[in-house]
Amino acid sequence: MVVGAAAGLGGFTFVYAKGSSYLTNDPTACANCHVMRAQLDAWRKSSHHAVATCNDCHAPAGGLAKYWVKAKNGYYHSLAFTTGDFHEPLRITERNREVTEAQCRRCHEAVVAAMGVHGGGQGVSCIRCHDSVGHRTAK
């Protein structure tokens, strides 16, 4: 009975939270929670709107790593947004900053190479100078 109740509650939560939408690359899934509406609206006005979705910048390129990051972020986001325990304005975590930085370098590999930034590029951060490229928001 306990297993059935847990499965039923889990299934209801998954459907209610539009869980299957998070398996896609549709940027509107990121705004299923009203907290992310400003980021979605800002992305729609951004320079990357026509060439990148949320996952292109905030998840590894593919495979298991992509879905691991999405699952981990989904868990922490749902916990934070359900409990209301999150910073406003939203801030990127160090873990997600590293993923995003790697994605900048992957997509803009030719520019990075021309700059002479190799490997980790110690001390050089795309995000530090270009923090509003993906979704400009008022600071």
Side-chain angles (χ1 to χ4, degrees):
M1 183 185 267
V2 172
V3 172
L9 182 60
F12 172 79
T13 301
F14 186 80
V15 171
Y16 180 78
K18 303 175 188 169
S20 61
S21 68
Y22 296 102
L23 300 174
T24 71
N25 275 335
D26 182 359
T28 59
C30 294
N32 280 348
C33 178
H34 69 276
V35 173
M36 298 298 290
R37 178 65 52 194
Q39 284 73 17
L40 176 65
D41 292 343
W43 168 77
R44 286 181 171 144
K45 298 172 188 161
S46 78
S47 60
H48 278 61
H49 174 253
V51 294
T53 65
C54 305
N55 288 323
D56 292 325
C57 298
H58 295 286
L64 207 50
K66 174 181 180 176
Y67 288 99
W68 175 250
V69 166
K70 286 176 63 113
K72 204 169 178 181
N73 284 341
Y75 171 76
Y76 286 113
H77 291 167
S78 64
L79 180 64
F81 297 154
T82 299
T83 63
D85 185 21
F86 59 92
H87 186 274
E88 286 204 62
L90 294 176
R91 293 187 292 191
I92 193 168
T93 64
E94 186 57 36
R95 173 178 47 89
N96 285 323
R97 182 180 300 282
E98 291 169 6
V99 169
T100 302
E101 182 74 29
Q103 291 304 90
C104 292
R105 291 170 186 250
R106 184 184 64 80
C107 287
H108 299 286
E109 189 173 17
V111 173
V112 171
M115 290 173 57
V117 178
H118 300 289
Q122 305 302 356
V124 177
S125 169
C126 305
I127 300 168
R128 192 189 74 202
C129 296
H130 302 281
D131 66 338
S132 64
V133 168
H135 35 80
R136 177 177 293 282
T137 55
K139 292 187 178 185

